[in-house]
Amino acid sequence: MSETSKSILVVEDNALNMKLIRAVLRFSGHEILEASDGESAIDIARAQAPDLILMDVQLPRMSGLEAVEVLKDDPTTNAIPVVAMTAYALRGDREKILESGCDGYVSKPIDTRTLPGVLAEYLGVDSDGPPSR
Ligand code: MN
């Protein structure tokens, strides 16, 4: 693996979105771990210690933000950067996302051209994905 290749846990309950995100991040050279609900996201994060978590906010049963609160409360996972994915862009929702412990967020629908570069900032690596313009 190159030094810019990282493991990213993608938490997304929509199969089509998951497929798209997986393709984009693999193209950037990252290893992708996948979960479709908050509880399995927590289990995978604890067991595999990914370099970053890309967390859908709207998930079945436990919400993405509830899962982030658990992860940020656990010393084995609280240093992992979490970027939320949300369809909401209202100020109150952004505040709720950051209060839950997320390090940042991206808006849905996901912009596949800019996603690798945005995540690279949280990973502390240079993006080796395609140029965004
Ligand atoms: Mn969802």
Side-chain angles (χ1 to χ4, degrees):
M1 297 216 288
S2 76
E3 63 187 37
T4 57
S5 175
K6 301 287 186 180
S7 63
I8 299 176
L9 171 57
V10 181
V11 189
E12 170 59 82
D13 60 315
N14 180 288
L16 277 175
N17 281 341
M18 178 66 90
K19 187 176 176 183
L20 178 70
I21 294 164
R22 180 202 301 132
V24 169
L25 297 182
R26 278 196 182 145
F27 184 74
S28 293
H30 300 301
E31 179 196 349
I32 306 305
L33 306 169
E34 300 180 21
S36 57
D37 63 74
E39 287 177 3
S40 56
I42 292 166
D43 289 344
I44 293 169
R46 284 175 173 155
Q48 309 220 38
D51 295 306
L52 182 140
I53 299 171
L54 185 58
M55 177 71 80
D56 185 23
V57 169
Q58 288 198 290
L59 293 169
R61 298 180 294 277
M62 175 187 279
S63 82
L65 298 188
E66 288 174 294
V68 173
E69 285 176 8
V70 173
L71 291 167
K72 291 296 183 179
D73 217 33
D74 181 336
T76 65
T77 54
N78 67 4
I80 304 170
V82 180
V83 178
M85 297 186 279
T86 178
Y88 306 122
L90 299 174
R91 180 180 296 269
D93 294 313
R94 291 195 299 245
E95 282 167 2
K96 252 183 254 170
I97 288 169
L98 298 176
E99 277 168 16
S100 74
C102 291
D103 298 88
Y105 55 86
V106 292
S107 296
K108 281 183 157 185
I110 294 296
D111 183 338
T112 54
R113 293 173 312 154
T114 58
L115 182 66
V118 170
L119 297 189
E121 290 176 31
Y122 292 97
L123 287 162
V125 298
D126 290 328
S127 171
D128 56 0
S132 58
R133 60 182 65 84

